[in-house]
Amino acid sequence: MSTTQESAPAATPSAQPTATQDIPGIVQRARERFNEDVTRPLAWRDAQLAGLAEFVTKEADAIQEALRDDLRKADFESYMAEIWPLTIEVADARKNLKRWTSPRKVKTPSVLKPASGVLRPDPLGVVLIVSPWNYPMNLVLAPLVGAIAAGNCAVLKPSELAPATSRLLAERLSNYVDGECFPVVEGAVPETTALLDQRFDHICYTGGARVARIVMAAAAKHLTPTTLELGGKSPCIVHDSAKLGVTAKRIAWGKFMNCGQTCVAPDYILVSESCHDALVKELKSTIDEFYGSDVQQSPDYPRIVNEAHFDRVAALIDPDKVAHGGQTDRSDRFIAPTLMTDVTADDAVMQDEIFGPVLPIIKIRDVDEAIRMVNSREKPLALYLFAEDKGVEEQVLSRTTAGGVTVNHTILHLSNGNMPFGGVGESGMGAYHGKWGFDTFSHLKPVLKKATWIDPPITYPPYTSWKSKLLSLFG
Ligand code: NAD
C-alpha cells in the first residue's frame, strides 16, 4: 500500500462496456455453475473469500491509483474507506463461515413434539450487484463478500462513472476469484437494462432512489427480491450540551471526506441557537486545520466526480448565505468545503440530498423542533446527534427513525460489522455487512423433523369429539 499522494493523476482508462448481446450468456454461465453445485462446498467459498482478500491486498496500489483517477481520492482515504473495510469484512466472513452456514436450532412447541426444528441457510442462486461511483470498489465488493459466503454466484456491475475502478475490476478480479461465478459486466444504462432483463435470485442495488424504482420494477417481472441501499438527507443534530470542539471535527470529517460524496455524510446541521455561532467558528477552524488555507492545493481533498454533478452541487450554493468556503473551479471539478448559515427549509440546498461538500446550518429553538423537522422529511439513511445530555439522546432516539445512528460522531455505525447497514423507507430496504450480508443472500429454510417412533392419531380423520376436546387443551 502506498500512502503518498501523487500529484499528477494518470490518464483515466475508459470503461469498456460489455456487449449487451453477451449479457444473457454471462448470466446463463453463472447459473450453470451454480446448478453444478460449484459454489456450495464451504472449502470453495473460503477459497473464493481468500482470493478476494488477496485481490484487495495485492492490488492495493492499483486500487488507490484507480480511485485517484476517478475521484482524486487521497491514498489514505482510499485505504481507510475502501480497502481496509473490505479486508475486515472478508476476514470476518472467513472466521464465521462455519458458524453462519450451520443449521440454526429453534424451539419446538410441545404440540409438535417429538420433533426438532432448524433454520438451514440455503444459497439463493445467482445474484446481481449494481453499484454507484462514490465508493466504487467497496460498494461492489462488500456485498460480494456476503454473496460468496452464502454460496451464491454473483454478477457485478460497477458504476460507469468511476471508469478506472470499473476497468480494474473487469481486468483483474478474475485472477483471484472464479470469473464465471463472479463475472464483471461493465457499462451504463443499456448494459444495466440488459442485465435487469435477466432473471436473478436477488438484486442488491446501491445508488439513488430514482434508479432504485427502475430496478425494483424490473425485479418485479421475475419476482426477484431486492436489497436497495439508497441515500437521502441525513440530519445532524447538535444540542447545546455537546462538546463543540470535538463535535466540529467529527462533523467536518464525515461531511468533507470524499468531497461530501458519501451516502451517510451529514447532509445538514440542526443546531441549538445558543451554540450556533460557537459551532460555526469551530467548523471554520477545523476546515482550515484539515485542508490548509488553500484547500484546492490540499492533497487530501478529492474532487466532484464529473461536470454534471459539479454543476448540480455548485448551483446549491447561495453566495448570500456562505459563511465559509464557496469557491468553485469547474475545470478542476473543485468545490471548497462550504458552510451556509441562516438556511431555511425552503432553500434549494434543503430540497434534495446534497451529495457534495456544502453544509447548510439551521438554528433550532429546542430538541422538539429538531425532531419535528427530521420527521417532516423522508426517513434518512443516517442520523447524527451530538449531545452529552442523556435525556435528549433518549428523546431523539425514541422519536425519530433512520437507517442507522451514530451518537457523538459521524459515519462510524456502518463500520461495526455486528450491526446491519441499510436504510428504511425512502433511504432503502434490506441490509448487509457481516452476518447481515450472509443472511441477505441466504434463504433461511425452516426444516422440521418429526420422530416416527410414535404416531398419535389426533390430527387424522375421523374427527371425533374426543379429538376436538384433546386439541382444545393445546389452544
Ligand atoms: P450511479 O449513477 O453510479 O448509479 C448507480 C448504478 O445504477 C450504476 O451502476 C449505474 O450504471 C446504474 N444506473 C444508472 N441509471 C440507470 C438506469 N436508468 N437503469 C438501470 N441502471 C442504471 O450512482 P448514483 O445513483 O448517482 O449514486 C448516488 C446515490 O447513491 C446517492 O443518493 C447516495 O446517497 C446513494 N448511495 C447509497 C449508498 C448506500 O450504501 N446506502 C452508498 C453509496 C451511494
Side-chain angles (χ1 to χ4, degrees):
M1 200 266 302
S2 154
T3 50
T4 53
Q5 179 76 24
E6 286 169 24
S7 50
T12 301
S14 30
Q16 293 175 13
T18 306
T20 48
Q21 67 269 25
D22 291 346
I23 287 175
I26 292 170
V27 179
Q28 177 59 25
R29 186 64 196 126
R31 188 161 296 287
E32 283 163 10
R33 296 283 280 162
F34 180 75
N35 289 341
E36 287 159 10
D37 282 346
V38 170
T39 61
R40 287 183 187 260
L42 293 201
W44 188 89
R45 301 185 203 183
D46 186 54
Q48 296 302 308
L49 289 169
L52 195 53
E54 213 183 339
F55 170 76
V56 173
T57 45
K58 281 203 176 152
E59 301 289 352
D61 284 350
I63 293 173
Q64 287 173 319
E65 191 183 327
L67 294 169
R68 221 154 43 224
D69 286 351
D70 287 332
L71 289 147
R72 241 206 68 179
K73 275 194 198 196
D75 289 347
F76 182 88
E77 207 170 285
S78 294
Y79 187 77
M80 175 181 69
E82 306 231 30
I83 296 171
W84 180 66
L86 283 170
T87 59
I88 305 268
E89 187 81 12
V90 178
D92 184 47
R94 293 190 69 197
K95 189 172 124 210
N96 290 296
L97 192 59
K98 185 133 187 13
R99 196 163 58 83
W100 292 348
T101 50
S102 298
R104 304 171 196 180
K105 275 194 187 149
V106 295
K107 284 188 181 159
T108 306
S110 42
V111 69
L112 293 177
K113 284 178 181 169
S116 61
V118 293
L119 303 180
R120 232 190 126 90
D122 266 355
L124 296 174
V126 181
V127 305
L128 172 64
I129 296 172
V130 181
S131 306
W133 49 266
N134 60 335
Y135 291 87
M137 186 59 71
N138 185 303
L139 295 172
V140 175
L141 298 186
L144 178 63
V145 175
I148 295 177
N152 299 281
C153 287
V155 179
L156 311 177
K157 219 303 279 165
S159 176
E160 72 283 9
L161 301 186
T165 309
S166 173
R167 204 71 288 274
L168 177 64
L169 281 163
E171 277 179 355
R172 301 204 197 158
L173 186 65
S174 61
N175 296 336
Y176 298 87
V177 299
D178 187 314
E180 287 187 322
C181 292
F182 309 113
V184 177
V185 169
E186 285 195 277
V189 177
E191 294 75 17
T192 317
T193 306
L195 275 170
L196 290 171
D197 281 342
Q198 306 303 306
R199 186 172 78 77
F200 288 94
D201 299 291
H202 193 97
I203 298 176
C204 177
Y205 167 82
T206 307
R210 184 187 65 82
V211 175
R213 288 175 163 81
I214 297 172
V215 170
M216 216 171 161
K221 287 193 193 123
H222 300 287
L223 285 184
T224 300
T226 52
T227 298
L228 301 178
E229 297 282 342
L230 313 178
K233 285 186 92 60
S234 296
C236 179
I237 302 172
V238 182
H239 183 248
D240 50 26
S241 66
K243 294 178 182 169
L244 293 186
V246 73
T247 297
K249 282 198 175 53
R250 292 174 178 187
I251 292 176
W253 176 77
K255 177 69 184 186
F256 301 118
M257 177 196 301
N258 202 23
C259 203
Q261 302 165 117
T262 302
C263 56
V264 284
D267 188 275
Y268 61 98
I269 295 180
L270 300 173
V271 56
S272 302
E273 273 167 354
S274 58
C275 63
H276 171 275
D277 293 354
L279 178 72
V280 172
K281 191 163 167 253
E282 290 285 353
L283 281 167
K284 286 180 183 176
S285 62
T286 301
I287 292 168
D288 290 346
E289 196 184 310
F290 281 6
Y291 303 111
S293 53
D294 185 355
V295 184
Q296 198 166 359
Q297 300 309 318
S298 167
D300 298 328
Y301 191 68
R303 294 298 184 263
I304 300 292
V305 67
N306 60 23
E307 276 83 12
H309 277 285
F310 174 92
D311 293 341
R312 182 186 60 77
V313 178
L316 300 177
I317 301 174
D318 177 347
D320 293 339
K321 297 194 172 182
V322 169
H324 190 77
Q327 302 84 354
T328 62
D329 178 351
R330 194 174 194 270
S331 65
D332 190 26
R333 291 181 278 115
F334 167 80
I335 297 180
T338 297
L339 305 177
M340 282 172 60
T341 49
D342 296 321
V343 173
T344 70
D346 296 331
D347 287 338
V349 77
M350 286 305 293
Q351 303 316 306
D352 294 310
E353 179 182 2
I354 296 167
F355 220 50
V358 179
L359 184 52
I361 302 171
I362 298 177
K363 283 182 197 164
I364 43 149
R365 278 185 304 279
D366 53 29
V367 75
D368 269 336
E369 188 182 4
I371 291 170
R372 268 200 309 279
M373 287 179 80
V374 169
N375 289 343
S376 70
R377 294 177 172 274
E378 296 290 355
K379 292 167 187 161
L381 182 58
L383 182 144
Y384 303 110
L385 169 68
F386 288 85
E388 296 298 317
D389 183 322
K390 296 272 184 299
V392 165
E393 182 182 320
E394 185 48 36
Q395 268 201 69
V396 171
L397 292 179
S398 60
R399 292 171 57 199
T400 61
T401 299
V405 177
T406 298
V407 177
N408 288 329
H409 211 310
T410 56
I411 316 273
L412 295 186
H413 59 279
L414 61 95
S415 308
N416 183 345
N418 299 313
M419 304 210 254
F421 171 54
V424 54
E426 188 75 9
S427 58
M429 62 180 74
Y432 70 116
H433 283 192
K435 180 167 171 292
W436 306 88
F438 175 88
D439 285 358
T440 284
F441 293 109
S442 300
H443 168 58
L444 294 182
K445 182 171 67 187
V447 179
L448 186 131
K449 187 172 174 185
K450 192 84 173 100
T452 51
W453 57 267
I454 184 170
D455 193 27
I458 175 168
T459 57
Y460 299 149
Y463 300 127
T464 55
S465 59
W466 73 265
K467 289 181 182 176
S468 297
K469 275 186 202 136
L470 194 60
L471 197 61
S472 67
L473 293 178
F474 285 101

